[in-house]
Amino acid sequence: MTNNDKTNDLIKTHTDLLTRCYKSADRSNAIGTACYVAAALCTTVTVFCATHEHYDVAAINAFIAAYNAIIGKLNINCAKKTQISAMKIQKIISDLKLQKIK
């Protein structure tokens, strides 16, 4: 196996890894956004229940809204970190392609 073949294998492996990173970031971003929407809806229900003096249901919905907001924030942070990793992998691929040209 020549050095050029090894470089081609590394490029293919890193390209596959890059694709997985982008897909994972997209999923995390979508989940985070959905959690934020769910938190907003729960907050709306909380306010509605509180105005109708259903304080027990309002309290439960407030906890659910807080949970969704936390999970949403964690997923958005995960998506950002995965995007940063994807940029690093893209840099490695670029370096490997330059090395292959030389």
Side-chain angles (χ1 to χ4, degrees), residues 26-100:
D26 289 343
R27 279 191 301 265
S28 291
N29 197 22
I31 291 169
T33 303
C35 285
Y36 279 143
V37 170
L41 291 173
C42 285
T43 303
T44 304
V45 171
T46 299
V47 171
F48 178 78
C49 289
T51 58
H52 286 84
E53 297 181 359
H54 299 292
Y55 301 116
D56 52 346
V57 178
I60 291 170
N61 274 309
F63 286 123
I64 294 170
Y67 175 79
N68 276 312
I70 291 167
I71 297 300
K73 181 66 175 168
L74 290 173
N75 273 287
I76 295 293
N77 285 344
C78 180
K80 287 178 184 176
K81 288 178 183 177
T82 305
Q83 285 286 352
I84 291 169
S85 296
M87 288 188 289
K88 289 178 182 177
I89 294 168
Q90 185 66 49
K91 173 78 169 100
I92 292 170
I93 292 171
S94 298
D95 291 345
L96 286 171
K97 286 181 180 178
L98 286 174
Q99 180 183 0
K100 182 181 169 188

Side-chain angles (χ1 to χ4, degrees), residues 9-26:
D9 289 343
L10 283 172
I11 291 172
K12 182 183 179 325
T13 302
H14 282 83
T15 303
D16 293 342
L17 182 61
L18 181 66
T19 303
R20 286 194 307 261
C21 277
Y22 280 130
K23 286 180 182 179
S24 177
D26 289 343

